Amino acid sequence: MTETFYKRPLPTGLIPFASDEGRALFQRAMTDGTMAGYFALAEQFHTQADPSFCGLGTLVVVLNALGIDPGPQRPWKGPWRWFSEEHLDCCRSLAEVQRSGLTLPEFVQLGSCNGAHFEVHHAVSTSVTGFRAAVHEATSSPGEPHLVVSYDRGVLGQTGAGHFSPVGGYHAGRDLVLILDVARFKYPPHWVPLEALFQAMLSRDPVTGRSRGFAQLWRDPIAPREPSASLVAHAAGCTSAGAPCGQTSVSGNCRPAQSEREAD
């Protein structure tokens, strides 16, 4: 019989969100105004649908938190429009992502194809101070930007390697970041020391040869609440919108041009 697992304990130094200590940290951060971004994310918090879908699951949370409409050509269930992983069969097929996950450039390209605007920072090209400023901006803002981290779990003492999740809050007094871990079957949301998280982002992705990092996400100006004709075309095929997605995949959605895959 294949070995199965039910959750894993967090390593020492990482604080479960729902623990007594985690709740006290939340309350203090609320008082300090650095949980402002949490509520839009919490409304949409989602467990990734496959062990390899942390990037897709994270995008589902953030795209829905940003209030981006997938468009009338892409309903979810019945008449309802909503982002879920199956909407993100774009740039790379779901089967490919299931085999190998997403890189940070692919994550950015996929989000851009679906109405988000990004600022991306590879950890090796920024600093702890720059990361802390981005965390503070996201957690102090009730709407946008939202912040996503791409990091190496192993550096934090967790099992696994590359992982994506949104940042839900910040405790300035103890310099702790709240990670809303989308792999809730494995680890709960938890507080992690900011400098330790930055070290985990410095880890090199073997696929791209570059460090991991973080991304700030806003609604793209062409998709404030409802999709414009150009965004619908962009998500449905990319080529008719004249967008820089290169070629279409077998699913009919956008596949990035090869020159874009290693770009910030």
Side-chain angles (χ1 to χ4, degrees):
M1 180 178 176
T2 303
E3 187 177 13
T4 62
F5 304 95
Y6 179 72
K7 299 186 177 180
R8 290 195 183 277
L10 283 167
T12 302
L14 307 185
I15 304 165
F17 180 50
S19 67
D20 289 345
E21 184 179 7
R23 292 197 299 272
L25 291 166
F26 175 84
Q27 291 171 349
R28 182 65 207 188
M30 277 284 295
T31 299
D32 292 344
T34 49
M35 294 298 302
Y38 167 79
F39 295 96
L41 294 168
E43 281 187 343
Q44 311 302 337
F45 197 27
H46 164 83
T47 300
Q48 63 191 72
D50 183 90
S52 296
F53 281 7
C54 60
L56 300 184
T58 296
L59 270 178
V60 165
V61 173
V62 177
L63 292 173
N64 286 328
L66 288 171
I68 296 173
D69 185 340
Q73 298 177 3
R74 298 194 297 162
W76 170 59
K77 305 287 183 183
W80 299 103
R81 303 199 297 268
W82 203 247
F83 277 105
S84 63
E85 276 99 339
E86 59 261 34
H87 284 95
L88 304 178
D89 187 19
C90 167
C91 304
R92 294 183 67 206
S93 72
L94 294 182
E96 289 176 319
V97 177
Q98 191 173 38
R99 285 193 296 271
S100 58
L102 292 175
T103 65
L104 181 55
E106 289 166 345
F107 176 87
V108 172
Q109 182 67 52
L110 182 54
S112 298
C113 283
N114 285 281
H117 170 70
F118 285 79
E119 285 188 12
V120 186
H121 307 267
H122 288 269
V124 73
S125 300
T126 184
S127 65
V128 170
T129 300
F131 177 49
R132 186 177 291 112
V135 168
H136 193 274
E137 180 182 9
T139 58
S140 301
S141 304
E144 48 186 334
H146 291 299
L147 186 68
V148 168
V149 286
S150 168
Y151 60 100
D152 187 337
R153 282 194 184 277
V155 176
L156 298 178
Q158 300 176 337
T159 63
H163 190 59
F164 289 93
S165 278
V167 167
Y170 177 57
H171 188 288
R174 292 178 55 182
D175 204 25
L176 296 171
V177 174
L178 176 62
I179 293 181
L180 297 178
D181 198 323
V182 292
R184 290 189 286 181
F185 52 85
K186 186 176 186 181
Y187 294 113
H190 52 276
W191 296 93
V192 57
L194 183 144
E195 292 195 13
L197 180 56
F198 186 78
Q199 288 299 314
M201 294 191 297
L202 285 170
S203 173
R204 187 178 66 88
D205 183 338
V207 176
T208 65
R210 304 188 68 181
S211 74
R212 305 177 196 277
F214 60 95
Q216 298 163 284
L217 287 79
W218 294 259
R219 289 189 304 275
D220 191 285
I222 69 168
R225 287 294 175 185
E226 297 180 0
S228 66
S230 60
L231 177 62
V232 170
H234 190 60
C238 294
T239 52
S240 58
C245 285
Q247 55 189 337
T248 55
S249 70
V250 292
S251 65
N253 288 336
C254 57
R255 179 184 296 278
Q258 190 64 31
S259 62
E260 294 289 326
R261 292 192 60 185
E262 297 302 324
D264 285 344

